[in-house]
Amino acid sequence: MLRHTARGSVTLWLVTSEPADITITLNHQHTVVAGTTTDRVVQAGEHAFIHVTTFTPAQHLTAGVQYAYALQFSHDAQQQRWQVQQQKLLYEGCQQLTFSVPAKLNNVLHGSCRKPHAPQTDSLVRVDELICNEHSGGPARPDLLLMTGDQIYADDVAGPMLQAVLQVVERLGLFHESLTDAVVESTAELAEHPYCYYQRQQILPRVATNTALSKLFFGAKKKPVFTSVNAQNHLIGMAEVIAMYLLVWSDELWPDITFDAARVSSAQQALFSKEATVIEHFAAPLGKIRRALAHVPVYMIFDDHDVTDDWNLTRGWEEEVYGHQLSRRMVGNALAGYWLCQGWANQPDTFDALHAQAKHNFTASGLAAHEAFIDTLFDWDQWHYQLATEPPVHVLDTRTQRWRSESSLNKPSGLMDWEALCEFQHQLIGKDAVIVVSAAPIYGVKLIEVIQKLFTMAGKALTVDAENWMAHKGTASVILNIFRHYKTPPHFIILSGDVHYSFVYDVRLRFRRNSPQIIQFTCSGIKNTFPDTLIRWLDRLNQWFYSARSPLNIFTRRRNMSVNERHPDGDDDIALLNRAALGQLLLDPEYEKVRCIALCSDGETVEFSSELTNDTATSRE
C-alpha cells in the first residue's frame, strides 16, 4: 500500500510472511533516483512481518512528475516471488508501479465506514476505475485518498468474517496473548470456545450496576461493559485485529479461506449462510482495490468502530471500560492494530519512539511486554497529523483528546479538548486555504443534533450516539470561535464521514463582509448506509423545521452562521444522499469553485449542486 508521499520521502506499508530485507528503488523515465531506504519492521506472528518502508531521495522529488517504484528483496527467492506478486498490481500495458507527488491538490478522494457485511457494493472499487481511466487517456488519477474513520468494524463482525479471521490467525501464527478477568486464559482458546460465534457477548466483560450511569441504562445487577449492539462477534485479541486488516486490504489470503456453517449453532446457520454470500461478494473485488491502493497515496485516521462503538463517548463510558482488565485490553489491542496497520505509515518519523518500544513487545517468540506497550498507546497524544501539501491537510484526532464533562458521567465528552483545539488554531494562522479532516461532521444535520440533545438531557446519550461537535458546550464554543477568528484561513474545507449518509454545506458568517468560505463535504459510507425510510423523514423534517425563515434557528449555537445545503444533482427535495459512495473533492487553483462529487458504489456519479435558489437554500445556525 502506497502511504505517506511527499517530495522528501515515499513510504510503503506491506506485510511479508518471512523476514525480509527490503529496498525501494525509484526511477523517472528510466533514470534512477538516488536515495536511501529505511525499513521499519514489527513481527506480529510467526509468518507475519509488518513493514513501514521509507525511501528518502538524495534530492527532493519534483512535484507533478510521475515516478516508478519497485521493491528489491535481498534474497533471490523472495525477489522472484515478489515479481509474481507485482504482476497482480500492474495496470494493463504498465511494467512498473507508479505515483506522483502533487504540485497542488486538486483531486482528493475521501470516505469512511467500510463494513464488510453491509449489503452494498464496496465503493473503493471506484478508485481503481479512476486509475484505469488515466491509463486509457482520461484525467489524471486522484492526488490522494483520505480514509476518515471506521476502516474496519472491530465491534461488528459477521460470522463468516470471524471464521476467516481465525483461519488467518492460525495460518500466519499471529501472536496470542494471555488474558485477565476473562472466561478464557488466552486468546488461543477463543477459536474452540462454544461462545466463539454469535455469542461473544457472553465472553465480554460485565460489571455490577454500581454507578448512576449503569443503573439508568440497565437497572439490573449486571450489564455489558461495551455498548455496541452488534457485539456478538466482537474482536478480542490483537491477532484477530491484525487478521481483519489483512483481509480487508488484500485478496492474497482469501483463496484459502473456507466457510463452514456447521461450526455455528443451528439457530445461527441461516444467518451465517446469508452473511457468507455477502462476504464472498466483498472479497471478490479486493484484487482491484489492492491494486489501486498501491498507486494512490493513502492516509487514515480512526473513528470508534476501528476500536469499539462509542469509544470514549462519555466519562462514564471510560470509567466502565478502562476499569475492567479485559475491556481495557480489547481497546488497547484495537489501538495497537490501528497503529500497526493504519496510523504508523501516515508519518512514520512521528512514531519512532513508539516503534522502539514495540521492539521490546513484538519478539520472535511472541508478545513479551504487551501490557506496557498498551499503556504507552493510551498515553500517546500524536495520532493527529498534518500534510505539507498545498493547501495543507490537517487530520484531527477526535477520539483520544476528549473534553470530558465534569458535571455528569453520562454527558457527551467534547470531541477535542481545549489544549488540542488551541494547538489546531495555532497551526491554521497565516494559511490562505486549509483542508481539515474530522471524522464526525463539524456542521451536522440540525434536527438529528436536536434529537441527540434531547436524549442526552434524558441521560441516554449512548442510545443515539450523541457524538457531534455541538454536544459539548466548551468544544462547540472553541471550534466556532476558530471559524469566527479574523485570522481564520479565507478558504476552509472540512472533510468528514461517520454518519452513513452524505451531504455538503456552504457556511458563511453573518454580519461580516469578509467571511471565510467554509465548505463541509461529508461522505459516508464507503460500504454502509443509513436506514432509508428513516433518513428520508429526517431529511424532510430538517428542511421544514430549519428552513431559512425558521425561528428555531435563533436557539442554535451557530445562529451567527449561514449554513446552505447543496442538493445532490440539483434535486431540491433531498439534501442527504443515502448511498454507499466515495467522496471526490475537485478544487480549482484559487479555490473559488469547489466541486463535491459522490462516486457511488453502483457506478453512478452524483454531484452536489451549489446553484441553489433562495427557496431551496437552508440558512440556519
Side-chain angles (χ1 to χ4, degrees), residues 500-502 524-525 528-529 577-581 600-602 604 606:
H500 302 168
Y501 48 86
S502 303
S524 174
N528 212 346
T529 57
L577 181 69
N578 190 34
R579 299 171 69 176
C600 299
S601 62
D602 59 6
E604 291 191 19
V606 176

Side-chain angles (χ1 to χ4, degrees), residues 466-486:
E467 296 187 277
N468 64 72
W469 282 85
M470 300 301 116
H472 184 278
K473 184 177 180 180
T475 297
S477 297
V478 176
I479 192 67
L480 293 180
N481 283 337
I482 289 175
F483 291 122
R484 288 191 287 257
H485 195 278
Y486 72 98

Side-chain angles (χ1 to χ4, degrees), residues 248-371:
V248 301
W249 292 148
S250 173
D251 62 326
E252 186 61 24
L253 295 166
W254 281 99
D256 295 321
I257 298 297
T258 58
F259 297 140
D260 182 5
R263 292 184 62 84
V264 307
S265 67
S266 57
Q268 302 292 345
Q269 288 182 2
L271 174 60
F272 184 94
S273 298
K274 180 180 179 181
E275 291 178 336
T277 300
V278 178
I279 295 299
E280 287 169 352
H281 290 161
F282 168 77
L286 281 173
K288 292 181 178 180
I289 292 171
R290 178 190 181 195
R291 177 173 67 174
L293 298 183
H295 289 81
V296 172
V298 185
Y299 296 90
M300 309 179 189
I301 191 62
F302 45 50
D303 204 11
D304 58 343
H305 293 292
D306 294 295
V307 177
T308 191
D309 192 24
D310 299 327
W311 182 28
N312 296 342
L313 174 61
T314 67
R315 182 163 58 91
W317 187 98
E318 292 189 51
E319 290 184 8
E320 298 281 17
V321 171
Y322 298 120
H324 192 283
Q325 288 292 325
L326 179 57
S327 53
R328 185 181 190 277
R329 170 65 66 86
M330 289 171 62
V331 172
N333 283 337
L335 192 54
Y338 168 80
W339 173 66
L340 285 166
C341 301
Q342 295 196 61
W344 188 10
N346 284 325
Q347 291 187 331
D349 292 347
T350 302
F351 295 98
D352 280 346
L354 194 55
H355 179 226
Q357 181 169 345
K359 292 179 181 178
H360 299 292
N361 182 40
F362 298 90
T363 69
S365 57
L367 302 176
H370 197 44
E371 196 64 37

Side-chain angles (χ1 to χ4, degrees), residues 160-185:
M161 193 69 179
L162 180 58
Q163 203 167 85
V165 162
L166 294 174
Q167 290 175 47
V168 170
V169 170
E170 181 178 4
R171 177 181 173 185
L172 300 183
L174 297 176
F175 294 144
H176 287 291
E177 61 202 89
S178 59
L179 299 175
T180 304
D181 286 348
V183 298
V184 293
E185 294 184 357

